[in-house]
Amino acid sequence: MAAAAAVVVVAGASAGCSGTDPEEVRNRRETYCTGLAAWQRAERAAEGGDEVAGYGVVAAAKALDQEGLDVDGSHILQDTGLAVGGDPAAEGRAAAYCADTGFETLVK
């Protein structure tokens, strides 16, 4: 439970500016979706999660949030923190973000 709380704390504050380079945007999104997929695999294999993979995907979500790379009003940082904390609906929204940005094959 402490690990989940720590992840939510990491997901706290964010600010930044929007990235405009299409290749950089694609790379940040791919990094996030790859991290989400790694966390999903670790979560299923460990039946309780992998703390390191959780921190990694939250850090990638924070980078997306700081650059304003959410799509259609998604809340990727919040959803990722909730997903890593055990919320299956938030995990679904995070996976939908990857599908919406062209990386649906990476996540479940």
Side-chain angles (χ1 to χ4, degrees):
M1 189 60 124
V7 170
V8 174
V9 170
V10 170
S14 66
C17 58
S18 178
T20 56
D21 177 25
E23 188 64 25
E24 182 63 25
V25 169
R26 183 190 179 289
N27 288 341
R28 286 196 185 273
R29 288 177 171 163
E30 183 176 24
T31 297
Y32 170 76
C33 294
T34 300
L36 181 63
W39 171 78
Q40 287 177 319
R41 285 190 303 275
E43 178 74 11
R44 284 157 181 75
E47 293 183 17
D50 179 331
E51 198 170 317
V52 173
Y55 287 125
V57 73
V58 169
K62 188 172 184 177
L64 290 175
D65 186 66
Q66 288 175 332
E67 295 297 321
L69 299 177
D70 281 359
V71 293
D72 295 330
S74 70
H75 302 284
I76 198 64
L77 181 57
Q78 179 182 4
D79 285 339
T80 303
L82 291 171
V84 170
D87 183 335
E91 181 181 347
R93 291 188 301 271
Y97 173 87
C98 291
D100 291 346
T101 58
F103 296 103
E104 63 277 349
T105 60
L106 295 176
V107 296
K108 296 184 180 210

